[in-house]
């Protein structure tokens, strides 16, 4: 694979999991001295233009991060060219992205995020949208684990 500079995180609404992934990775990359670009989006566009869900913002704040300035947007096929890696949060997002990919090169950029931590298990980052604070904390914990692996792999390449 060509060098990785731009990483996109994709969930369903782009207001809970993927903005947290974006915020976590941006902060960790900066701390590690890695010059990478991150973005996030949703396979659905219902929340386009909105800031992250308040519970996701509060979860980030509890961990010393701010994701308040992020705004939701829907995935567009141009993202396949704009990003080097595209991480889906669950198999539903993954399948939706694969369906939109028109070339093998585009398809090769799509990965299930937690397979970086738990290879081949196809584990989701469970959607906390209909959950409670503990579900946001669980998602944050999984996203932090994934960020560690993704960024260490890039650093050590
Ligand atoms: P996310 O969570 O995909 O992690 O941003 C959701 C946000 C909104 C909805 C579903 C999931 N929704 O149905 O509006």
């Amino acid at each position: 694979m060509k060098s990785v500079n731009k990483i996109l995180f994709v969930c369903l609404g782009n207001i809970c999991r993927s903005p947290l992934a974006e915020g976590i990775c941006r902060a960790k990359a900066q701390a590690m001295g890695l010059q990478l670009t991150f973005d996030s989006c949703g396979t659905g566009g219902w929340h386009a233009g909105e800031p992250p869900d308040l519970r996701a913002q509060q979860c980030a704040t509890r961990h010393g991060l701010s994701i308040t300035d992020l705004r939701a947007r829907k995935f567009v096929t141009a993202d396949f060219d704009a990003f080097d890696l595209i991480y889906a949060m669950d198999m539903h997002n993954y399948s939706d992205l694969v369906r939109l990919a028109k070339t093998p090169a585009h398809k090769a950029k799509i990965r299930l995020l937690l397979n970086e931590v738990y290879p081949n298990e196809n584990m989701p980052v469970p959607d906390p949208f209909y959950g409670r604070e503990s579900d946001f904390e669980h998602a944050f914990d999984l996203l932090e684990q994934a960020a560690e692996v993704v960024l260490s792999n890039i650093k050590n390449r």
Side-chain angles (χ1 to χ4, degrees), residues 11-19 46-47 93 127-130:
C11 61
L12 179 59
N14 193 208
I15 54 169
C16 297
R17 294 165 292 174
S18 63
W46 314 284
H47 296 281
N93 315 142
D127 191 346
F129 185 67
Y130 295 104

Side-chain angles (χ1 to χ4, degrees), residues 75-141:
F75 180 84
V76 290
T77 50
D79 288 322
F80 283 124
D81 287 319
F83 292 90
D84 304 310
L85 282 177
I86 299 173
Y87 280 116
M89 298 295 134
D90 59 37
M91 284 307 283
H92 196 93
N93 315 142
Y94 182 89
S95 307
D96 285 343
L97 291 169
V98 167
R99 203 173 315 117
L100 292 168
K102 297 290 179 244
T103 69
H106 287 172
K107 196 173 165 192
K109 294 181 177 186
I110 309 166
R111 307 214 178 146
L112 188 69
L113 182 63
L114 287 185
N115 275 352
E116 300 285 13
V117 187
Y118 306 100
N120 304 316
E121 291 194 18
N122 294 345
M123 263 178 66
V125 177
D127 191 346
F129 185 67
Y130 295 104
R132 13 200 286 172
E133 188 175 297
S134 58
D135 300 297
F136 279 84
E137 287 298 323
H138 180 55
F140 192 97
D141 176 50

Side-chain angles (χ1 to χ4, degrees), residues 3 50 136 143:
S3 69
E50 294 177 14
F136 279 84
L143 293 170

Side-chain angles (χ1 to χ4, degrees), residues 27-105:
K28 277 195 194 296
Q30 191 177 9
M32 291 167 75
L34 289 171
Q35 301 245 319
L36 299 167
T37 300
F38 301 98
D39 194 7
S40 63
C41 64
T43 54
W46 314 284
H47 296 281
E50 294 177 14
D53 186 286
L54 195 55
R55 296 163 300 167
Q57 293 187 44
Q58 289 166 342
C59 177
T61 301
R62 285 194 293 275
H63 293 269
L65 294 178
S66 174
I67 58 168
T68 303
D69 290 343
L70 302 183
R71 292 294 176 269
R73 71 171 179 89
K74 188 177 179 182
F75 180 84
V76 290
T77 50
D79 288 322
F80 283 124
D81 287 319
F83 292 90
D84 304 310
L85 282 177
I86 299 173
Y87 280 116
M89 298 295 134
D90 59 37
M91 284 307 283
H92 196 93
N93 315 142
Y94 182 89
S95 307
D96 285 343
L97 291 169
V98 167
R99 203 173 315 117
L100 292 168
K102 297 290 179 244
T103 69

